[in-house]
Each structure stands twice: as C-alpha cells, then as structure tokens.
Amino acid sequence: RIRDQIEARIEASSALSAPDAPPCILVEAALLVEAGWVDLVDEVWGVCVDPECALERLLKRDPRLDEDAARARLQSQMSNAERAAHCDLELLNTGDMSDLKCQMAPSTQDGAVAARRSLVCPARNRH
C-alpha cells in the first residue's frame, strides 16, 4: 500500500533529524485530503488557485483538451473551499514559482506562526 510506504519514509526521515531539533518533514501529496491521510501530518498546507487561472494552466499543459473537457476535469476535483476546510495554511498560487516561494519562506522559519496565518487565500481565510 502507498500509505504504508509513506509512513515508512516519514519514520526513516524522522530518525535522520538532529537530536536537539524536532523533525521537519515535507510530505508532498496532491491528494492527501482526498485519500484521508491528514492524520499522517501535524500541519496541512494547501495551494489554492483561482479557477480561471487553473483552467488556463491546464489548457496550456494539455493542449489536447478542449475547454469543456478541461472545465469538467477541474470541476471533478475538490474545490479550493472544500480543501481549505482541512488546511492549516493555504498558499495562493496565481503567480509564478518565485511568488509561491516568497510566500513559503516565512512559513518555514522558526516563530513564523503569525506570518503563516497571514498567507492564507484572502477570499477563503479560515483563521
């Protein structure tokens, strides 16, 4: 099972942490919430994107899709609002990779709880 493999990797990575520091392990799992694996992690960080931006990116990534098929694919996925209900932090991904990294930087430093709370998607702020 995939979950067993993820659990084993988390355990192995935890063992590699410095003895005087709590382990910080990033688990990238696009379907973490949908698979019911939220219990594997201490915090869930979600990435939200405006639906029109998602459509534009999907059509660019897969030019074989027409707009109706692309919209149907996006509508079959969990919405930003549904996913946000499970997230401790939501990052807004409507820019490029450098914009996303700028949002993440303060969130990965010690004492960044207040900064993390300010980075949630403005329209979906749960905190």
Side-chain angles (χ1 to χ4, degrees):
R1 290 184 15 194
I2 293 174
R3 182 184 170 109
D4 294 336
Q5 293 174 11
I6 292 171
E7 288 175 341
R9 285 193 172 196
I10 290 171
E11 186 63 35
S13 296
S14 294
L16 297 175
S17 298
D20 59 339
C24 181
I25 301 163
L26 174 68
V27 177
E28 192 284 322
L31 300 175
L32 181 84
V33 172
E34 292 87 340
W37 296 347
V38 173
D39 63 305
L40 291 175
V41 297
D42 294 323
E43 286 189 13
V44 175
W45 290 17
V47 179
C48 65
V49 64
D50 162 302
E52 288 305 310
C53 183
L55 177 64
E56 180 182 317
R57 289 177 180 174
L58 179 55
L59 289 170
K60 185 176 181 180
R61 186 174 59 244
D62 191 348
R64 298 170 299 156
L65 289 177
D66 63 27
E67 187 171 330
D68 289 339
R71 284 188 188 280
R73 181 179 292 181
L74 293 172
Q75 289 174 351
S76 73
Q77 298 173 3
M78 187 178 282
S79 72
N80 287 332
E82 291 168 320
R83 190 173 292 106
H86 302 276
C87 294
D88 298 294
L89 167 72
E90 255 188 298
L91 301 170
L92 180 59
N93 186 15
T94 54
D96 59 19
M97 187 58 75
S98 64
D99 293 332
L100 191 58
K101 286 179 181 179
C102 285
Q103 289 183 67
M104 290 177 64
S107 300
T108 57
Q109 298 169 1
D110 290 338
V113 173
R116 288 202 310 243
R117 297 298 181 231
S118 69
L119 292 172
V120 296
C121 294
R124 295 167 201 81
N125 191 337
R126 300 182 319 117
H127 304 286

